[in-house]
Amino acid sequence: MKSRVIPFIVSVLASTIAVGAQAQSFQFQTDADYNSADVGPADVNGMQIRQQYFLSPIQNGDNQPWREAAFLNRSSSANLTYNRVEIDGGSDEMNVNAWGVGGEYMSNGHDFYAALDVNFLNGDNSFGATGKLGFFVQQNWLVALDVYHTNPDNEGSSTDYGLSTKAIVPVMDGDHLVLTASYADFDEGNGHAIAADYYIRPYWSVGLAARNDMPTLQNVFGDSVELRSEYFVTPQLALRGALSRVDVGADDENQFAVGASYRF
């Protein structure tokens, strides 16, 4: 494993930087994330840049997880994404680039939910789409039907289905627990993912996540166990880091990830 200095900045900032409690509104959010793993002789690096636009300004709640402001306010949005995966195996190199567009619809006026994300690979006509149709069982508890559609270039398309849920639960004295889970019935087998993020403060969380046969454009490994944390340095700027153990066949490898979000 190459030496990389990727500390858990979020944990250090938690004890050294004070965050203002005054709520501020925002309508845009920019996310940048990077992950890296050494798989035998190859380096696998993933990057994602995402720009999100909320249809109406929203605010961080003083006593609610700041990361979940849009979900708690049920704010509809649109987004653009760019993904890049680089595999460097010495003499063998491969780069994959993809562009995406999507949106999310929800409202305080009713309990219905819908989302759609479409990604296109550069260099050919391959594309994939993920859709969700859901219902808020309670104010902060969503259950959804997931649809996964893939259409590789010069190959037949396929459509798979699954279920997912997300809930934000108040715990103890002002803390919150964010729980997510998903299950998919793919042609090649079943996949599932679960995660729990504990918000010690509205601006600081630590969490655990596990994924099995659920790869993404940003993370090509289908199986992993992840420890992660995020900290809002200011109401606008968040930093995050994660350490994962990923399954690469007969062996397990470490994967590091860092990211940042800016709201305005």
Side-chain angles (χ1 to χ4, degrees):
M1 179 77 64
K2 294 182 179 179
S3 176
R4 294 185 176 90
V5 181
I6 308 180
F8 281 91
I9 302 174
V10 288
S11 299
V12 176
L13 289 172
S15 61
T16 60
I17 299 178
V19 177
Q22 182 178 1
Q24 299 186 29
S25 64
F26 61 93
Q27 201 162 0
F28 295 88
Q29 179 170 312
T30 303
D31 299 307
D33 291 278
Y34 171 82
N35 60 60
S36 179
D38 287 349
V39 182
D43 289 340
V44 180
N45 302 307
M47 180 185 70
Q48 183 184 79
I49 299 174
R50 186 172 188 263
Q51 180 64 56
Q52 190 171 12
Y53 168 71
F54 299 97
L55 273 59
S56 59
I58 57 180
Q59 290 186 338
N60 296 323
D62 289 339
N63 298 310
Q64 296 176 322
W66 289 2
R67 165 57 57 183
E68 302 297 339
F71 185 82
L72 292 166
N73 285 271
R74 296 195 186 180
S75 298
S76 299
S77 64
N79 67 78
L80 294 172
T81 61
Y82 168 71
N83 286 277
R84 180 177 176 84
V85 176
E86 298 178 349
I87 302 176
D88 183 0
S91 59
D92 296 324
E93 295 184 7
M94 182 177 71
N95 299 323
V96 177
N97 297 287
W99 295 89
V101 61
E104 191 175 36
Y105 173 76
M106 48 187 164
S107 171
N108 280 308
H110 55 73
D111 292 323
F112 295 101
Y113 172 93
L116 178 66
D117 288 288
V118 184
N119 289 279
F120 304 89
L121 290 183
N122 281 6
D124 61 30
N125 294 321
S126 299
F127 73 91
T130 302
K132 286 178 174 287
L133 289 175
F135 184 82
F136 282 92
V137 180
Q138 296 181 3
Q139 176 64 28
N140 298 326
W141 180 16
L142 173 68
V143 177
L145 168 68
D146 302 332
V147 181
Y148 304 89
H149 180 78
T150 58
N151 194 340
D153 193 19
N154 297 321
E155 298 181 27
S157 63
S158 64
T159 302
D160 302 300
Y161 301 91
L163 294 171
S164 62
T165 186
K166 177 177 181 178
I168 300 178
V169 183
V171 293
M172 297 181 67
D173 189 14
D175 296 346
H176 289 79
L177 186 63
V178 178
L179 301 171
T180 59
S182 60
Y183 170 85
D185 183 13
F186 298 116
D187 286 340
E188 62 275 15
N190 299 328
H192 62 267
I194 57 174
D197 293 281
Y198 187 82
Y199 282 81
I200 304 168
R201 296 291 185 271
Y203 48 82
W204 182 24
S205 68
V206 293
L208 285 170
R211 188 174 64 248
N212 178 255
D213 290 333
M214 296 283 279
T216 66
L217 276 173
Q218 185 186 0
N219 191 328
V220 297
F221 301 108
D223 296 355
S224 71
V225 177
E226 176 182 273
L227 172 65
R228 60 195 185 190
S229 183
E230 182 177 53
Y231 188 85
F232 276 84
V233 183
T234 72
Q236 291 78 33
L237 176 63
L239 301 178
R240 54 186 167 269
L243 173 63
S244 303
R245 194 68 173 167
V246 297
D247 183 2
V248 289
D251 300 317
D252 291 335
E253 300 289 347
N254 292 325
Q255 182 181 52
F256 300 94
V258 292
S261 297
Y262 186 74
R263 295 171 165 179
F264 56 98

